[in-house]
Amino acid sequence: MNDPAWLDARLNDWRRRGLERELWTAPPSSSDILNFADNDYLDLSRHPDVIAGAITALQNNGTGARASRVMAGNLPCHRTLERRLADLKGYPDALLFGSGFLANLGVMTALAGRGDAVLIDRLAHASLIDGARLSGARIWRFKHNDPDHLHALLQQIPETARRLVVTESVFSMDGDRAPLRTIAQVAANGNALLLFDEAHATGVFGEAGAGLMHPGETEDQPTVVIGTLSKALGAYGGFAVCSDKMRTYLIQRARSFTYSTALPPAAVGAALAALDICRREPQPGRELLRRAARFRKHLQAGGANTGASASQIVPVMLGDNTHALQLADALRRHNIFCLAIRPPTVPAGSARIRFSVTLRHQDADLDRTADRTLDIMRRHGLL
Ligand SMILES: Cc1ncc(COP(=O)(O)O)c(C=O)c1O
């Protein structure tokens, strides 16, 4: 093999610092293993109606979309799903992307460029940071969930620069929620466009899973709200909701939309069926949040630090990479599948276990997991 010499040095360095990522095989759904490491929050990826929706779309349209939407890949089911997503979020229109990551790259590079300013929460997801970098705009990182700091930064930006404020409504690794209304107000006062990423809120929060940024939430409506079909909706793909005019603009300028093959029909059919379930059933997200709150309280009562979690994502903060690896290993030996989240996914010194609570987990499973976690932490001197 003709691998460069620096490869070994890099890999060994990550290994030594407890930072190497491994590809674990997901536990099969038929096993007794409790899986806390996926984002199938509503347990829809194996729901018979979602599978049936995928099969019907597959049979009607084939396995692939065969081209970009701007070529011959634009199928009626894409438009149907866009209209459903726009309705759900209370926006005039929507545009589908190949994934949530691609939606963020495409939208951010279309909305900001050289000479502009992107103001982004310090803990924002990698796709948002990469979107900001790729845009060529100057990046201003505001303190996590701190509208005052955002305001102060906005004051420093030259009047002539276009501004784009970017944050998440539910943070992927902390499970805490942004002060959406205040941030929207500060952005509006600072004459900035606003992008909210609802990847982890869609399907879980709000009426029929609309997310946290739903109609009536604020007068200062974000310019674009991003979501994903790949987490609570159990399918695959990403989307942006926005005005009609903005959609038309994104079709011209969002390169990850224009120059990439359209979503496969099966993913579209699955997402449409998942949206039907969210609308039909009495708020599955509400039950999920109840279970997550109970789990969080149990961990906290035992002395674990769950940070500012206020969602189905419940971290147990450890700080040290090795401690996080130790706890994850010990839990896996007890058939509790979870992973240690370390830098660069989270800031240095804030390694943690990220428990992703889903509707697969019953109260008894969550009690057992919390007890086991606390027990191992005590035995390893981590409490
Ligand atoms: C906040 C946030 N945005 C975007 C994404 C990317 O979404 P997708 O998995 O659909 O690419 C993620 C995925 O982890 C995320 O956490």
Side-chain angles (χ1 to χ4, degrees):
M1 275 297 140
N2 202 12
D3 288 334
W6 50 260
L7 214 54
D8 269 338
R10 279 280 183 92
L11 290 171
N12 288 335
D13 178 50
W14 286 329
R15 243 162 246 157
R16 192 175 45 74
R17 291 158 57 207
L19 293 176
E20 187 188 15
R21 290 191 174 107
E22 284 178 72
L23 294 183
W24 294 87
T25 301
S29 61
S30 56
S31 74
D32 292 334
I33 300 173
L34 292 173
N35 179 358
F36 284 94
D38 71 29
N39 302 311
D40 192 8
Y41 300 126
L42 303 179
D43 194 22
L44 290 182
S45 76
R46 296 184 182 92
H47 192 292
D49 292 1
V50 176
I51 292 173
I55 291 173
T56 306
L58 182 69
Q59 284 171 336
N60 290 343
N61 300 282
T63 51
R66 299 171 287 273
S68 157
R69 298 274 298 282
V70 298
M71 304 295 279
N74 187 32
L75 306 174
C77 62
H78 291 132
R79 200 66 191 118
T80 307
L81 178 55
E82 285 174 343
R83 295 205 193 285
R84 283 289 302 276
L85 291 165
D87 273 356
L88 176 73
K89 302 288 295 174
Y91 270 75
D93 218 328
L95 189 65
L96 291 171
F97 285 83
S99 69
F101 201 111
L102 290 171
N104 282 334
L105 291 191
V107 172
M108 290 181 69
T109 49
L111 291 186
R114 218 169 294 251
D116 298 337
V118 172
L119 298 104
I120 183 165
D121 187 286
R122 271 198 193 145
L123 295 189
H125 187 257
S127 56
L128 296 166
I129 295 167
D130 287 359
R133 287 182 180 149
L134 196 59
S135 75
R138 175 157 175 202
I139 301 173
W140 303 70
R141 297 185 84 165
F142 60 92
K143 288 184 199 154
H144 180 52
N145 279 347
D146 188 340
D148 292 338
H149 190 220
L150 170 63
H151 172 75
L153 292 182
L154 279 164
Q155 305 303 305
Q156 296 175 39
I157 295 169
E159 289 286 326
T160 50
R162 243 197 293 169
R163 302 121 185 259
L164 172 65
V165 170
V166 175
T167 194
E168 295 171 33
S169 58
V170 172
F171 282 81
S172 59
M173 295 298 136
D174 290 76
D176 59 343
R177 285 148 51 174
L180 294 182
R181 269 191 235 170
T182 329
I183 288 193
Q185 210 168 39
V186 171
N189 292 342
N191 202 17
L193 302 179
L194 180 57
L195 180 152
F196 275 137
D197 182 333
E198 295 242 71
H200 296 275
T202 305
V204 175
F205 287 89
E207 192 65 31
L212 284 164
M213 185 46 73
H214 46 77
E217 175 63 24
T218 167
E219 281 173 18
D220 308 299
Q221 233 189 355
T223 320
V224 178
V225 176
I226 300 288
T228 176
L229 312 172
S230 326
K231 302 189 194 297
L233 298 179
Y236 192 76
F239 64 91
V241 294
C242 53
S243 69
D244 306 334
K245 212 184 289 178
M246 180 60 77
R247 178 177 185 272
T248 306
Y249 173 76
L250 291 174
I251 291 171
Q252 325 305 313
R253 294 307 297 266
R255 291 162 66 87
S256 61
F257 172 84
T258 314
Y259 298 108
S260 190
T261 301
L263 271 187
V268 176
L272 280 166
L275 289 172
D276 283 343
I277 293 169
C278 289
R279 190 162 61 181
R280 188 176 71 221
E281 293 189 1
Q283 307 272 343
R286 202 174 287 170
E287 169 60 12
L288 173 68
L289 293 169
R290 182 198 66 77
R291 291 188 204 175
R294 190 171 179 278
F295 177 59
R296 193 166 46 237
K297 251 195 211 152
H298 192 151
L299 287 165
Q300 287 168 348
N305 174 4
T306 58
S309 162
S311 68
Q312 74 282 12
I313 298 164
V314 183
V316 168
M317 300 295 187
L318 293 146
D320 186 85
N321 298 336
T322 332
H323 292 162
L325 287 168
Q326 236 174 19
L327 179 56
D329 275 347
L331 284 167
R332 282 195 298 268
R333 281 197 292 278
H334 285 97
N335 279 350
I336 294 168
F337 185 77
C338 59
L339 297 173
I341 310 291
R342 293 152 290 157
T345 305
V346 293
S350 71
R352 67 199 65 179
I353 303 294
R354 173 188 187 266
F355 288 104
S356 172
V357 179
T358 73
L359 286 181
R360 289 190 307 269
H361 304 127
Q362 306 301 320
D363 284 343
D365 301 326
L366 294 166
D367 286 347
R368 179 158 74 81
T369 303
D371 284 335
R372 189 62 77 188
T373 304
L374 294 166
D375 183 46
I376 296 167
M377 287 178 79
R378 260 180 238 117
R379 277 192 284 119
H380 285 77
L382 299 175
L383 271 181

